[in-house]
Amino acid sequence: MKLWGGRFETGPSVVFEQFSGSLHFDKTLVFADVEGSQAFARALARQGILTDEECGKLVKAFAEIASEAQNPTYFEGAGDEDIHTFVIRKLQEKVGGLAAKIHTGRSRNEQVSLDVRLYLRTCAETVLEQLMELMGSLLDLAHKYPDAVVPGYTHLRRAQAVLWPHYLLAYFEMFARDCERVQQTLARINVLPLGSGALAGSGFPFDRSEIAADLHFPAITRNSMDVSGDRDFALDFLYSCSMILLHLSRLAEDWILYSSEEFQWMTLGDGVTSGSSLMPQKKNPDSLELIRGKSGRVFGDLTSLFVTMKGLPMTYNRDMQEDKEPLFDAFRQTSGSLAMAKVVADSVVLYTSKPAIAAEESWVVATDLAEELARSGVPFHRAHQIVGQLVLYSVNNGKKPSDWKGEALAAFAPEFKPEMARLLTPSEGMKSRELPGGTGPQAVAKALQEAGQRLRAMSEHVRPV
Ligand code: ARG
């Protein structure tokens, strides 16, 4: 069946029908389409366009469609233009001519906006929960090794020593911002478009607030043309997914490195690694590589819809049908990657001595020493110069920081005092970084505790009781 046709002398060509049909992907929206249509039937009843009995029949038939659609074979062989047409055909099969009334005062342009909003609302809630689960796993991993000292890097060169929980909390903060972003996105998704008609507003005086309450939308859209033309909420969702994948890709890259033979800081569980078909010794971090790979794909989804929307004239254009596949893909990949990252995090074993030795053998203590000189009154630039010379001398003479004892240090430059040698141990310098946000042991313990509280507060706020 078609939802149009009166104006045409011939039907669409086979090529056009196949080219333009979207049912093979927008069938994903079937449950949203049914839910929105049930609410719309109730709105039509309130308008007196449907009797209560007719409305009841339609709502029941829609419910049957939703339950039949659980079966994946439900769509086999269907040649309908899109999910909206498919659902109405199914409705017609169930209630006959009554089905012809359901589209009174409604356009597919607003219906597709409604369906995508209903669908994305569930996706956003799922992503939010998965983000919080991953954040919980990162906190567990931090609590397993609360005192582990690791080198922090800039330019992938050892820079300054930090605590392992401090490193993990950096990712916790990224994912906490991602949660905020998803919640903000959810607020923009959660606005009822119904009542907008094709572009000019419905010709029937629906009480839009009532429909909004029926579908649990806290707000209604303010401009019908904006509804037909707008996909900002979809782009916001794609951007939120992209940012999550960006963060995940960096975590993945870190752990690919840290679990390599070159670093040997950690192992990943057997359950998240794969072997080689040829090289028997291999244990490859494919789970993390795939997360890193999926990030490119999700950025592509965002770029794809960005480019599709650019320069489109007001209001609806069929180009916009191309929004769905990137959205569905981005959700699937983001959700899959978050689930994977959590399982990987739960499998990590840290060999604390490896990063500790890496910190001790390198000059991650140099800044601590220079700052101690500055605290003793040496101007910082001079202090920097002296410690730089100490490093140069040590590198040229094969000396590690721990090879320097107090007296030898004091003999190297008059500004050094023997007791400053204690700072040549990486875990010592950290103690001067106790300000909020720093890697001082007390600051980190507090941040870790607060992170747990914040996560608990977030999950209570998000999860419906
Ligand atoms: N399948 C279309 C889409 O996803 C439905 C919207 C209305 N179609 C139309 N030709 N006005 O965008």
Side-chain angles (χ1 to χ4, degrees):
M1 75 168 277
K2 293 234 166 328
L3 297 178
W4 45 271
R7 188 239 174 276
F8 292 81
E9 288 179 354
T10 67
S13 74
V14 173
V15 171
F16 175 58
E17 220 164 31
Q18 282 175 358
F19 181 67
S20 61
S22 56
L23 184 63
H24 60 287
F25 56 82
D26 66 16
K27 63 185 178 193
T28 307
L29 297 175
V30 64
F31 303 109
D33 199 73
V34 161
E35 187 187 351
S37 294
Q38 285 177 319
F40 192 62
R42 288 188 283 268
L44 289 174
R46 288 193 294 272
Q47 285 290 305
I49 294 164
L50 292 177
T51 64
D52 285 348
E53 196 201 332
E54 287 173 328
C55 173
K57 261 192 200 160
L58 290 180
V59 169
K60 184 168 165 280
F62 279 128
E64 285 168 21
I65 294 171
S67 94
E68 287 161 22
Q70 308 272 6
N71 184 344
T73 61
Y74 193 48
F75 297 93
E76 264 172 25
D80 308 272
E81 186 181 323
D82 56 21
I83 186 61
H84 324 296
T85 316
F86 173 88
V87 168
I88 291 187
R89 175 169 64 79
K90 288 288 174 189
L91 192 69
Q92 209 169 42
E93 286 169 16
K94 287 180 187 295
V95 302
L98 176 59
K101 283 192 177 180
I102 186 64
H103 217 55
T104 316
R106 180 175 75 166
S107 158
R108 278 184 298 166
N109 295 351
E110 56 182 335
Q111 194 181 355
V112 75
S113 170
L114 174 66
D115 289 6
V116 175
R117 286 169 193 269
L118 288 170
Y119 165 80
L120 283 185
R121 170 157 106 166
T122 316
C123 297
E125 277 159 11
T126 304
V127 166
L128 210 47
E129 294 211 352
Q130 288 187 297
L131 273 169
M132 290 188 296
E133 279 167 23
L134 173 61
M135 288 159 79
S137 289
L138 291 180
L139 293 188
D140 290 346
L141 190 52
H143 280 292
K144 280 183 200 159
Y145 312 98
D147 310 317
V149 173
V150 301
Y153 294 81
T154 62
H155 313 266
L156 201 54
R157 300 291 182 273
R158 294 174 195 168
Q160 288 184 278
V162 294
L163 286 173
W164 171 249
H166 193 61
Y167 160 76
L168 288 177
L169 283 170
Y171 281 101
F172 181 92
E173 294 304 328
M174 296 178 221
F175 295 127
R177 286 195 299 278
D178 289 336
C179 285
E180 275 175 30
R181 226 179 319 274
V182 173
Q183 273 168 317
Q184 288 158 358
T185 300
L186 196 49
R188 279 187 216 107
I189 290 170
N190 227 353
V191 186
L192 176 89
L194 270 192
S196 301
L199 77 161
S202 178
F204 297 80
F206 294 112
D207 183 336
R208 298 186 61 211
S209 302
E210 271 184 323
I211 309 178
D214 190 351
L215 287 167
H216 309 292
F217 281 100
I220 61 173
T221 54
R222 291 173 184 272
N223 183 289
S224 58
M225 293 183 80
D226 181 36
V227 166
S228 284
D230 169 41
R231 289 295 180 271
D232 295 6
F233 64 94
L235 285 163
D236 282 345
F237 181 77
L238 289 171
Y239 177 69
S240 299
C241 290
S242 298
M243 196 59 109
I244 292 167
L245 261 297
L246 184 147
H247 291 148
L248 284 175
S249 76
R250 298 187 69 177
L251 183 69
E253 172 67 9
D254 277 358
W255 291 2
I256 289 168
L257 286 173
Y258 298 166
S259 62
S260 68
E261 285 97 334
E262 276 66 23
F263 276 76
Q264 296 180 20
W265 286 18
M266 56 159 70
T267 51
L268 308 169
D270 282 2
V272 299
T273 45
S274 356
S276 154
S277 59
L278 178 67
M279 299 167 282
Q281 86 283 13
K282 291 301 290 289
K283 183 176 166 187
N284 295 325
D286 295 30
S287 50
L288 293 171
E289 291 169 291
L290 278 167
I291 291 174
R292 195 175 55 185
K294 304 278 187 195
S295 65
R297 179 168 168 171
V298 172
F299 301 166
D301 292 330
L302 170 66
T303 309
S304 150
L305 187 56
F306 254 139
V307 180
T308 298
M309 294 306 293
K310 177 187 173 296
L312 285 187
M314 282 286 272
T315 54
Y316 177 83
N317 299 270
R318 191 66 179 269
D319 315 43
M320 290 158 72
Q321 180 170 291
E322 295 296 314
D323 62 351
K324 286 169 204 66
E325 284 171 294
L327 274 179
F328 300 159
D329 185 64
F331 170 62
R332 212 173 25 249
Q333 303 313 327
T334 304
S335 177
S337 300
L338 282 168
M340 187 73 260
K342 182 190 153 43
V343 176
V344 173
D346 290 340
S347 83
V348 164
V349 175
L350 184 74
Y351 300 122
T352 53
S353 63
K354 285 283 184 182
I357 291 169
E360 275 158 28
E361 284 180 346
S362 56
W363 279 90
V364 293
V365 293
T367 309
D368 302 331
L369 204 53
E371 286 181 347
E372 184 70 358
L373 284 175
R375 272 190 289 273
S376 76
V378 181
F380 185 74
H381 280 159
R382 173 73 193 130
H384 191 287
Q385 181 79 12
I386 297 168
V387 177
Q389 284 162 352
L390 180 74
V391 173
L392 179 64
Y393 177 87
S394 304
V395 168
N396 287 343
N397 292 279
K399 271 176 168 298
K400 292 187 304 237
S402 59
D403 294 334
W404 289 91
K405 303 297 166 220
E407 292 311 316
L409 189 68
F412 186 84
E415 288 87 346
F416 283 130
K417 304 282 167 286
E419 66 273 17
M420 289 180 184
R422 77 178 202 289
L423 286 160
L424 295 163
T425 305
S427 56
E428 269 307 300
M430 281 182 196
K431 294 179 184 160
S432 63
R433 308 189 188 287
E434 288 291 10
L435 76 175
T439 193
Q442 287 170 33
V444 171
K446 188 162 179 272
L448 194 52
Q449 192 209 1
E450 284 172 358
Q453 288 164 352
R454 283 160 62 200
L455 188 58
R456 274 190 295 281
M458 277 168 69
S459 32
E460 274 158 28
H461 179 68
V462 165
R463 282 192 193 120
V465 196

